[in-house]
Amino acid sequence: MSELTFAAVDLGGSKIAAAIGTADGRLVAQSAIATDSHEGPHGVLGRLALLVRDLAALSGTTPSALGLGVPGLVDVANGTTKFLPNMTGEWRDVPVRAILEPQVHCPVSVLNDARLATLGELTYGHGRNARTLVCLTLGTGIGGGIAVDGALRLGPLGAAGEIGHQTIVPDGPMCTCGNRGCLEALASGPAIASRGMYLLQCGRAPLLRDIVGGDIGAVTTKEMAAAAARGETIVRDELVRAFEYLGIGIANVVTMLHPDVVVLSGGLTEIGSLLLDTVRKTVLRRVRMFPATDVRIERSQLGDTAALLGGLALSAQTAVGR
Ligand SMILES: [Zn+2]
């Protein structure tokens, strides 16, 4: 008998990544297309299903189940989307599972993308040898996920683990969720870049200005990291300040859960040691009730395939469970 295969899809605001793979985390076929979410749910889901069928044909297999990650909140039990802030079109209460199952000819499970990536880390990444795991995806937003004692913690709404939306500064900047001073509003890519733009605008970051050729709109954390590496202290201080906020957010979670490992992924982690070292130091400084030296804080080994691998793990569970 040939090996069972599973399908995984990571639906994002700009692209749909899909893969066919095996339960041991081997991706046998992989592809991506633009989301074009202005087409609305039915258009997007139709193309998503076509992508899965094409990959299945390419791999010469019939996937036993599909695990799908979406950028927002979902009704996990019913496979219905609830709140997808980064997708244009009306995505509230879309019965994604019911729409997709007849088109992909297998059971479909739907999870928030950061929780799906957490399942990927737990099954195939740094979590393989861990019981309790915390994941943060650092990019345009700050996504999060938690696994406790080997099981993904979803909560009744699949919303548990939104680490980016804990309050860090009570009267801090407004967040996309409506709260003030969330970790995301202080330490996401755009939040940090806005501080770089401010420094550039008031003439205090000449090196950063050179790097972006005077174009304020071109400032991202990448250019800020380059300016910091070339000795622009004021820019470096802004980065460190944001990474200390991140460290405080992680220290709060470490105090509550005492996880084995905290996994960081997303574009911001490309900054490397300045981020990791600052976070590690801040966690040690802020967790005082027990020595947090045994809590590993690591960069993901799975990179942007974590959610796809989580999709394989989820669909492998679904296929066994039905
Ligand atoms: Zn928030």
Side-chain angles (χ1 to χ4, degrees):
M1 197 181 93
S2 65
E3 197 176 7
L4 285 180
T5 61
F6 304 94
V9 176
D10 183 8
L11 171 62
S14 57
K15 72 170 184 179
I16 304 170
I20 304 289
T22 56
D24 60 2
R26 194 165 44 87
L27 300 175
V28 295
Q30 204 178 337
S31 187
I33 56 172
T35 303
D36 292 331
S37 62
H38 61 269
E39 288 181 3
H42 283 275
V44 171
L45 294 173
R47 284 186 296 104
L48 186 158
L50 185 61
L51 180 63
V52 171
R53 293 200 302 271
D54 284 350
L55 283 174
L58 191 69
S59 69
T61 66
T62 307
S64 304
L66 164 66
L68 168 67
V70 300
L73 298 182
V74 282
D75 177 337
V76 177
N78 296 309
T80 305
T81 49
K82 301 310 281 184
F83 177 55
L84 272 57
N86 298 320
M87 299 281 283
T88 51
E90 186 44 70
W91 282 85
R92 187 173 286 276
D93 297 322
V94 177
V96 169
R97 186 167 77 198
I99 293 170
L100 282 178
E101 282 185 345
Q103 297 190 50
V104 295
H105 315 299
C106 66
V108 174
S109 306
V110 190
L111 270 190
N112 164 271
D113 52 5
R115 254 73 78 196
L116 196 64
T118 305
L119 185 62
E121 295 288 350
L122 181 71
T123 316
Y124 308 111
H126 282 296
R128 275 169 306 171
N129 304 311
R131 297 284 297 151
T132 296
L133 166 88
V134 173
C135 289
L136 286 96
T137 310
L138 311 170
T140 310
I142 296 186
I146 290 169
V148 178
D149 296 334
L152 192 63
R153 170 69 195 164
L154 291 173
L157 301 174
E162 285 290 352
I163 300 163
H165 296 281
Q166 60 179 304
T167 304
I168 301 290
V169 177
D171 54 355
M174 184 61 82
C175 182
T176 51
C177 73
N179 181 35
R180 277 196 179 278
C182 285
L183 182 58
E184 178 170 300
L186 297 161
S188 63
I192 299 172
S194 73
R195 297 298 303 164
M197 290 175 192
Y198 172 75
L199 291 175
L200 195 149
Q201 202 160 24
C202 59
R204 300 188 65 191
L207 208 52
L208 180 60
R209 175 179 291 276
D210 282 355
I211 289 170
V212 296
D215 178 5
I216 287 187
V219 174
T220 72
T221 51
K222 190 177 164 206
E223 287 75 27
M224 290 175 72
R230 282 165 57 183
E232 191 142 72
T233 314
I234 198 163
V235 174
R236 189 179 190 279
D237 289 348
E238 256 338 301
L239 290 171
V240 168
R241 200 170 73 106
F243 301 155
E244 282 175 348
Y245 284 137
L246 190 57
I248 290 172
I250 292 171
N252 293 342
V253 180
V254 167
T255 301
M256 281 184 273
L257 295 174
H258 198 165
D260 305 299
V261 60
V262 177
V263 182
L264 306 179
S265 63
L268 220 55
T269 58
E270 281 160 30
I271 290 177
S273 59
L274 184 62
L275 183 146
L276 273 172
D277 292 349
T278 307
V279 166
R280 284 176 181 141
K281 258 188 257 173
T282 307
V283 168
L284 290 179
R285 203 166 64 234
R286 297 276 178 176
V287 178
R288 304 306 290 260
M289 292 303 288
F290 55 86
T293 43
D294 63 335
V295 178
R296 290 186 290 130
I297 298 173
E298 307 284 357
R299 196 173 163 183
S300 171
Q301 299 164 323
L302 307 179
D304 56 10
T305 60
L308 285 178
L309 288 167
L312 291 186
L314 180 68
S315 48
Q317 288 172 8
T318 312
V320 170
R322 284 203 186 178

